[in-house]
Amino acid sequence: MRLLVIEDEVKLADYLHKGLSENGYVVDLARDGIAGRHLATEGQYDLLLLDLMLPGIDGFGVLKAVRARGNTPVLMLTARDKVEDRVRGLQEGADDYLVKPFAFSELLARVGALLRRGGGNASAASTHLRLADLEVDLVSRKAMRADRRLDLTAKEFSLLSLLLRRRGQILSRTTLAEQVWDMNFDSDTNVVEVAVRRLRAKLDDPFSLKLLHTVRGMGYVLEER
């Protein structure tokens, strides 16, 4: 799942980017309100983490623009702890409100709850995906096949989740590199091939029905054949 963090405190923004990425999310980062509003309204995100006090445009201004466009879940982060600030944030369209400083475990739990609740994005509407005997819970981050738990790394889980959300579609190495590794694809690297090979070994090798297929010259597709 792809998240957008709009936060101008460099240390906190980098901390959130690192922590959320380690938990399998693809994270974009904006360090002011203008860049944040642009990304939030032009991009496709499953959840926004939005600081209230931002340079350029404050969090309320970003939130207003986001709500004019859709129902992407928004978790507001702020040092303002007054009741009237929290009430205003919720009344203007935020889905949750977390006061700084906060424990990362609580932030992670709130992110999971908001994603489970879903929002306006189609990708957030369902957090439990299924194909044949494969089941993936995007919130608890569990993958099962034929009632057997698949022991996946964070990147393998993200790769499988993306392929499953877009099952039946051929995804190129470039798309996978951008969506899972958040990187511009370098033709000299074989990171995608290596990850697909490792995922296939866990996902398909123990089973007679193969779900992950290579389409020569085009990419990979997850589907039941």
Side-chain angles (χ1 to χ4, degrees):
M1 288 188 165
R2 197 173 196 96
L3 312 184
L4 173 61
V5 175
I6 307 174
E7 172 61 65
D8 66 320
E9 293 180 38
V10 174
K11 190 174 181 180
L12 176 58
D14 292 344
Y15 173 71
L16 291 172
H17 185 278
K18 182 174 184 293
L20 292 167
S21 298
E22 287 175 346
N23 280 273
Y25 297 105
V26 175
V27 183
D28 289 340
L29 187 59
R31 298 187 187 276
D32 61 61
I34 295 174
R37 183 180 63 178
H38 174 74
L39 288 174
T41 55
E42 297 299 323
Q44 293 291 328
Y45 294 99
D46 297 292
L47 176 72
L48 307 183
L49 290 89
L50 175 62
D51 185 22
L52 185 54
M53 293 180 286
L54 292 166
I57 303 171
D58 69 12
F60 289 121
V62 175
L63 181 60
K64 182 178 180 180
V66 170
R67 282 293 163 262
R69 184 175 180 271
N71 295 317
T72 304
V74 175
L75 171 57
M76 294 201 80
L77 307 174
T78 181
R80 294 185 183 177
D81 60 355
K82 293 182 179 178
V83 171
E84 53 264 37
D85 290 323
R86 298 199 296 272
V87 169
R88 182 185 174 190
L90 295 170
Q91 287 180 333
E92 296 198 9
D95 297 277
D96 199 359
Y97 199 105
L98 189 58
V99 176
K100 302 174 184 176
F102 50 79
F104 185 75
S105 57
E106 182 179 0
L107 173 86
L108 204 58
R110 289 176 183 266
V111 167
L114 288 171
L115 291 174
R116 187 166 54 245
R117 198 179 306 160
N121 285 346
S123 59
S126 175
T127 58
H128 191 86
L129 306 175
R130 185 183 184 98
L131 175 66
D133 57 357
L134 171 67
E135 296 181 70
V136 172
D137 188 323
L138 299 177
V139 175
S140 65
R141 301 185 63 74
K142 293 179 181 176
M144 308 283 291
R145 181 144 191 210
D147 296 325
R148 187 188 306 178
R149 175 79 176 266
L150 302 180
D151 185 19
L152 305 178
T153 66
K155 287 303 182 188
E156 289 166 354
F157 185 87
S158 296
L159 178 60
L160 176 61
S161 300
L162 175 60
L163 287 162
L164 187 54
R165 285 202 303 272
R166 298 175 64 176
R167 53 190 175 275
Q169 300 178 30
I170 301 171
L171 301 183
S172 68
R173 291 189 305 163
T174 302
T175 298
L176 295 174
E178 290 175 349
Q179 294 293 315
V180 177
W181 284 268
D182 198 20
M183 55 184 272
N184 293 320
F185 188 67
D186 180 349
S187 59
D188 293 331
T189 183
N190 64 346
V191 61
V192 175
E193 288 88 340
V194 171
V196 168
R197 185 163 60 247
R198 290 176 175 169
L199 175 60
R200 179 177 280 138
K202 299 176 181 178
L203 175 70
D204 275 349
D205 286 359
F207 306 96
S208 58
L209 177 63
K210 309 305 180 187
L211 298 177
L212 180 54
H213 308 280
T214 301
V215 181
R216 189 181 298 275
M218 298 181 67
Y220 304 94
V221 59
L222 192 75
E223 64 183 3
E224 184 178 1
R225 294 182 176 175

